[in-house]
Amino acid sequence: VRGSKMILDANPDYRPVYWDFAANQSPEDKGIAKAMQGKRLPQIGRVIVNVILEDQSRLLAFQKDEADLFQLYGGLAPQVLKDGKLKPEFQKKGVQLSRIIDPELAIYYWNMQDPVFGGLSKEKIALRRAIAMAHKVEDEIRIVDNGEAIPLQFPIPPGVVGHDPQYRSMIQYNPAAANAL
């Protein structure tokens, strides 16, 4: 049903694939990898995806057992989590929390025709750089994502080939340097 439901059925004639994947460092992931070792994929024959656009409606469907999987975004985190852990009412129902780093890249766009911000003079470039240096990503995560995100210095997130944990962006939060610019 366009825009509201997708039903995905496993193809029984698809070439056989057996689980042979390494776990990450989390104990939960290690347990899943051990339990799945050598089993034929997929393990589930049918997946039904209901497209529910409103966050609150998705949470309510999950709470009423109308959904088995729920992707929790920052705005709903306080309704489900306390101090980064599932609230007791969800734990009692057997709900499991699985944290996955979902990469998000924020890009600043500038109207280069704007008389204040636009242009390529050294002064205009310095102004745009100062504004970027005055943006505190940690505050955005705390306010917008309810603390349920991690700041990244590199566009490739941890766990993805090419991630460099030592890389540090040249534009860091620094109000003093921003004011100097």
Side-chain angles (χ1 to χ4, degrees), residues 9 21 31 44 54 58 60 151 162 168:
D9 288 314
F21 302 100
I44 299 171
E54 295 293 324
R58 277 197 311 274
L60 290 171
R168 293 293 172 259

Side-chain angles (χ1 to χ4, degrees), residues 25-93:
Q25 297 305 316
S26 78
E28 296 87 6
D29 199 53
K30 288 179 182 179
I32 292 169
K34 184 177 178 182
M36 288 295 297
Q37 192 62 38
K39 290 186 177 177
R40 185 173 176 164
L41 299 177
Q43 284 285 291
I44 299 171
R46 173 175 270 193
V47 174
I48 300 173
V49 179
N50 289 304
V51 178
I52 305 172
L53 298 177
E54 295 293 324
D55 289 343
Q56 192 65 41
S57 298
R58 277 197 311 274
L59 177 57
L60 290 171
F62 182 74
Q63 287 175 308
K64 294 190 315 187
D65 296 326
E66 295 172 0
D68 298 317
L69 180 66
F70 174 68
Q71 190 169 7
L72 179 67
Y73 292 102
L76 292 178
Q79 294 182 48
V80 178
L81 303 174
K82 182 170 173 86
D83 300 324
K85 295 186 176 17
L86 283 171
K87 287 185 172 181
E89 59 264 30
F90 289 95
Q91 291 178 12
K92 287 176 189 167
K93 287 180 73 173

Side-chain angles (χ1 to χ4, degrees), residues 157-177:
V160 176
V161 174
H163 173 72
D164 181 357
Q166 305 303 316
Y167 180 86
R168 293 293 172 259
S169 172
M170 61 185 269
I171 303 211
Q172 295 290 323
Y173 173 70
N174 188 336

Side-chain angles (χ1 to χ4, degrees), residues 9-15 40 42 45:
D9 288 314
N11 179 351
D13 299 324
Y14 188 71
R15 65 174 159 45
R40 185 173 176 164

Side-chain angles (χ1 to χ4, degrees), residues 73-129:
Y73 292 102
L76 292 178
Q79 294 182 48
V80 178
L81 303 174
K82 182 170 173 86
D83 300 324
K85 295 186 176 17
L86 283 171
K87 287 185 172 181
E89 59 264 30
F90 289 95
Q91 291 178 12
K92 287 176 189 167
K93 287 180 73 173
V95 172
Q96 295 179 359
L97 176 64
S98 177
R99 292 185 178 272
I100 300 169
I101 296 175
D102 192 8
E104 177 180 298
L105 183 62
I107 300 173
Y108 297 96
Y109 288 96
W110 303 98
N111 178 356
M112 298 303 282
Q113 306 301 316
D114 186 88
V116 176
F117 300 107
L120 296 174
S121 68
K122 287 183 180 182
E123 295 80 16
K124 301 294 183 170
I125 294 170
L127 175 61
R128 292 189 298 271
R129 189 172 185 194

